[in-house]
Amino acid sequence: VGLFVPPLFVLFFLAMVPRRRSQLAALVGCLAGFIVACLVGLWPGPDGNPLLSFQWILASSMTAGIGIGWLISLFVTPTESA
């Protein structure tokens, strides 16, 4: 469950907050957040246990997802709202 909540928040955040919002930026930000969450939560250390605590999944995933999505939204043409 902890792997999916931060990317879901990133998806809604990038759909509502930036002025230059686009579908591509929101989807790439969501995907980047999920990848970071998997890396932080599941990457094994030298002893076979995860390197970081599960508490880092939320902060790192949201930071990476929002940051990457926001950067992409600066370079992609905004999506027209209906």
Side-chain angles (χ1 to χ4, degrees):
V1 173
L3 298 179
F4 296 110
V5 172
L8 187 62
F9 173 78
V10 168
L11 186 65
F12 285 109
F13 181 84
L14 289 174
M16 292 189 297
V17 174
R19 292 180 190 258
R20 293 182 47 94
R21 58 183 68 105
S22 70
Q23 294 173 356
L24 178 66
L27 290 175
V28 171
C30 182
L31 183 64
F34 179 71
I35 290 171
V36 169
C38 288
L39 289 175
V40 170
L42 303 174
W43 193 268
D47 59 352
N49 293 326
L51 287 173
L52 296 173
S53 171
F54 70 93
Q55 296 171 341
W56 284 97
I57 295 173
L58 180 79
S60 60
S61 176
M62 282 181 29
T63 303
I66 290 173
I68 290 172
W70 205 300
L71 282 175
I72 290 176
S73 71
L74 294 176
F75 299 108
V76 176
T77 308
T79 305
E80 293 201 21
S81 56

